[in-house]
Amino acid sequence: MLIIAALTVHNRKAKTLACLECLDGQHLPPGVTLRIVLVDDGSSDGTADAVRTAYPNVMITQGNGSLYWGGGMALATATALAYHPDAVWWLNDDVEPAKNCLVELLNAHASIGGVVVGCVYDTDGRYIYGGYHRRRGFRFVPAVPVGSDPLPIDTLNGNCVVFPRHVLEKVPPSDPAVFVHNGGDIDIGLRIRRAGYALHLIPAANCIGTVNSTKFTWNEPGLSLGERWRSLTSVLALYPPMTWALCIRHAGVLGPLYFVRPYAAMLLKHFIARLRSIVRWQAKNP
């Protein structure tokens, strides 16, 4: 059985090397071979050279810095599929899978089939990434594992996921021109479920990771309306073509309403904060 781990990286040399060290130390079942495809999206910190030196068997594809997560993972997945693996293992380079992570994912897949997702915890043991349950109102809440049984989920985080090849051949990664950086994992998870495949979170498949920082986002205080809008609508946040595609594709006739909602909420929050600021100033300067 051939498993290919697919990663895309950009200027996180230390984290990338730590992730690859964990992959190098994976406990593999008899008859399982693990290979690694890595897309280096124009790193300027020497990531590619460091990987070539430390892990010469890693297959590196070079990007120019414009791929972001969506384009990088689409390219890494296509490169992996060209080798006709039995499964592709998506990993973020800031994730450190436990030595038995792949074993647990493969065992779970052999038992329940479909796509299986690992659980990412921070260094304090708090669950941070894995998958989501879908709720009314086109809302997604984290699917928090309880106990050791596989947990059915509605969609996934792309941090640690094993896709059987036949699933990816039928449900390919999201269009990176639309899902540039965010939303592509949510979209592919929803499309996988729509195609009739099972999707489970596997509590025994543990990884260590970090929460993405929210600093310098549209929620930061003190931003002008223009700064807040540019932050909210950037490809790193709620890029409008991505939000539109996600809502129209998966939210039915109410899709346009759900598309408008986050942008309207940001504008309302900004103007309420401005109004409160004016009221406070007037109270101090009667």
Side-chain angles (χ1 to χ4, degrees):
M1 173 181 285
L2 174 61
I3 310 296
I4 296 185
L7 302 85
T8 185
V9 307
H10 177 73
N11 281 346
R12 297 198 293 197
K13 179 170 64 175
K15 289 183 180 293
T16 299
L17 292 174
C19 178
L20 293 177
E21 182 179 359
C22 292
L23 293 183
D24 193 52
Q26 285 293 296
H27 295 157
L28 300 178
V32 173
T33 299
L34 176 63
R35 302 181 69 184
I36 302 169
V37 166
L38 183 147
V39 172
D40 175 51
D41 190 25
S43 294
S44 59
D45 65 348
T47 294
D49 288 339
V51 170
R52 290 188 185 97
T53 299
Y55 302 100
N57 291 328
V58 172
M59 297 173 281
I60 299 177
T61 299
Q62 210 62 55
N64 61 8
S66 65
L67 293 175
Y68 294 93
W69 188 87
M73 289 307 295
L75 178 56
T77 302
T79 303
L81 289 175
Y83 292 92
H84 304 289
D86 295 277
V88 176
W89 185 13
W90 274 15
L91 277 172
N92 274 16
D93 69 327
D94 61 350
V95 163
E96 299 181 15
K99 292 182 182 296
N100 66 338
C101 183
L102 183 57
V103 169
E104 295 292 349
L105 290 169
L106 294 178
N107 287 343
H109 170 71
S111 174
I112 58 180
V115 174
V116 286
V117 183
C119 296
V120 182
Y121 299 85
D122 66 15
T123 53
D124 293 326
R126 292 172 295 197
Y127 170 81
I128 52 177
Y129 293 118
Y132 296 100
H133 297 304
R134 180 174 176 173
R135 298 291 186 246
R136 292 181 62 183
F138 202 54
R139 295 184 300 110
F140 298 91
V141 298
V144 180
V146 177
S148 59
D149 292 336
L151 177 66
I153 54 178
D154 296 311
T155 190
L156 55 89
N157 292 122
N159 305 65
C160 175
V161 187
V162 168
F163 300 91
R165 185 183 72 218
H166 70 273
V167 174
L168 285 174
E169 289 174 341
K170 186 172 182 179
V171 187
S174 305
D175 180 2
V178 176
F179 294 89
V180 181
H181 190 72
N182 284 337
D185 47 359
I186 303 295
D187 177 65
I188 194 174
L190 293 172
R191 288 188 290 119
I192 284 168
R193 293 292 296 117
R194 182 180 295 174
Y197 296 109
L199 186 60
H200 285 89
L201 189 66
I202 310 303
N206 295 334
C207 304
I208 298 297
T210 55
V211 178
N212 292 330
S213 173
T214 58
K215 192 176 181 181
F216 306 121
T217 70
W218 65 93
N219 287 319
E220 285 293 297
L223 295 180
S224 69
L225 179 59
E227 291 170 331
R228 204 174 295 282
W229 180 259
R230 285 190 294 273
S231 177
L232 176 63
T233 59
S234 78
V235 296
L236 300 178
L238 297 183
Y239 183 50
M242 178 274 292
T243 310
W244 176 259
L246 200 61
C247 292
I248 295 303
R249 186 175 290 175
H250 302 292
V253 295
L254 294 179
L257 176 63
Y258 295 133
F259 166 72
V260 170
R261 183 173 58 182
Y263 308 109
M266 184 278 289
L267 292 172
L268 180 62
K269 182 178 179 180
H270 177 83
F271 286 122
I272 289 175
R274 289 291 298 156
L275 180 61
R276 287 174 174 169
S277 177
I278 291 171
V279 170
R280 286 195 298 268
W281 184 89
Q282 290 178 336
K284 293 180 180 179
N285 300 274

